[in-house]
Amino acid sequence: MARPPRTISLVIPIYFEEAVIEIFYGRTLEALASISSEFELELIFVNDGSADRSLEILQTLRERDARVKVLNLSRNFGHQIAVSAGIDHALGDVVVIIDADLQDPPEVILEMLAKWREGYKVVYGVRTERKGENAFKLITANVFYRILDALSDIRIPRDTGDFRLMDRVVVESLREMREESRYIRGMVSWLGFKQCGVAYVRDPRYAGKTKYTLRKMIRFAFNGITSFSEKPLILAGWLGLFITAGGFAFLFYVIIGKILRPDTVVSGWASLMGIVIFF
């Protein structure tokens, strides 16, 4: 008896992507055509509060293709929440996170599946080159990954994004983690399981421009570092101890000065300094 086909779910967050949705859809179907006998396809598009025609285009695709599912969030919650919502609704034996801007080529999914068949539970994309990105973005990304690697208590692969394939067992474990500030690539690394990378060249955006402003990038980096390392907390503790010790040393100096040379200290100054340093 022939084994029924398994399901591969693609989770695709959408935010102002009206120019690329249909191109992404067509290219993805073409890229995955060779595995149609092995896998049934599920395309989960998560509209993250887009105010352009993205939702309209997605609804048209859904009417045309039963494999397309559309989650429409009530407002813009951010990339990581949109991805999490898609993962929560994914039914596949294998789940792939991929953006719709075509910077991460859908064709790489076939290489990821090959590694999955070898027994890997997580296969992440490793960017060997990032085309179409300015020097500032490249430098800051490089610095961030190195800092995170140095500070993190777990190993988070360098030069990776959320583009990855996950086995069902990983998806079920990830769904149990309900953190509010989410850093999915770090959460997947924390879970363990057998993981490996697939190298690829990241292409320029097919259309439009990045939705990650500098402010969002800084907040995302901060979440990544503070979520997976206790070292910032330890550093803050030692810094507080150092400042406190220095303050009390100065307070001792003030008291001794008041005792030995009372005429040189303005009346009330020592007590005021004592209260300030104490607090």
Side-chain angles (χ1 to χ4, degrees), residues 98-165:
I98 184 171
D99 290 336
D101 56 19
L102 293 175
Q103 286 187 283
D104 301 324
E107 294 79 10
V108 177
I109 296 174
L110 299 179
E111 298 179 48
M112 292 179 169
L113 280 170
K115 291 294 184 182
W116 174 74
R117 293 187 187 98
E118 294 176 13
Y120 291 97
K121 299 301 183 183
V122 176
V123 186
Y124 48 83
V126 180
R127 304 158 178 171
T128 58
E129 185 179 348
R130 301 162 67 111
K131 295 182 178 179
E133 295 186 353
N134 58 46
F136 176 77
K137 179 67 178 293
L138 294 173
I139 292 172
T140 53
N142 183 65
V143 170
F144 164 68
Y145 285 120
R146 271 61 188 171
I147 292 175
L148 182 60
D149 188 46
L151 292 179
S152 179
D153 301 318
I154 60 170
R155 183 184 175 274
I156 301 176
R158 294 183 180 182
D159 304 314
T160 63
D162 291 318
F163 181 34
R164 62 191 57 228
L165 174 149

Side-chain angles (χ1 to χ4, degrees), residues 9 14 19 23 49 53 55 63 67-68 83 118 123 134 137-138 164 170 177 189 191 194 212 218 249 266 269:
S9 300
I14 299 293
I23 304 297
R53 294 181 58 250
L55 180 59
E63 293 170 1
R67 296 171 296 182
V68 173
V83 169
E118 294 176 13
V123 186
N134 58 46
K137 179 67 178 293
L138 294 173
R164 62 191 57 228
V170 180
M177 302 173 68
S189 295
L191 284 171
K194 190 178 181 181
Y212 260 93
I218 293 173
V266 177
W269 183 81

Side-chain angles (χ1 to χ4, degrees), residues 146-250:
R146 271 61 188 171
I147 292 175
L148 182 60
D149 188 46
L151 292 179
S152 179
D153 301 318
I154 60 170
R155 183 184 175 274
I156 301 176
R158 294 183 180 182
D159 304 314
T160 63
D162 291 318
F163 181 34
R164 62 191 57 228
L165 174 149
M166 299 178 292
D167 184 87
R168 188 73 213 176
V169 66
V170 180
V171 171
E172 291 298 331
S173 298
L174 185 60
R175 287 171 64 177
E176 295 296 318
M177 302 173 68
R178 308 314 299 176
E179 282 84 345
E180 181 177 347
S181 297
R182 305 180 70 80
Y183 185 69
I184 290 174
R185 66 196 74 169
M187 294 165 66
V188 174
S189 295
W190 181 86
L191 284 171
F193 297 102
K194 190 178 181 181
Q195 307 192 14
C196 73
V198 169
Y200 74 103
V201 175
R202 197 169 200 232
D203 294 327
R205 286 184 61 89
Y206 183 85
K209 59 183 180 179
T210 181
K211 312 305 185 300
Y212 260 93
T213 62
L214 179 60
R215 180 181 177 182
K216 288 183 178 180
M217 288 170 56
I218 293 173
R219 184 172 59 188
F220 186 60
F222 182 79
N223 284 341
I225 292 173
T226 56
S227 296
F228 293 94
S229 176
E230 62 182 14
K231 292 176 183 176
L233 183 60
I234 293 173
L235 177 62
W238 278 108
L239 182 61
L241 183 62
F242 175 77
I243 292 173
T244 301
F248 277 103
F250 183 67

Side-chain angles (χ1 to χ4, degrees), residues 59-70:
Q59 289 172 335
T60 300
L61 288 179
R62 181 179 58 188
E63 293 170 1
R64 196 168 72 209
D65 188 343
R67 296 171 296 182
V68 173
K69 295 182 179 179
V70 179

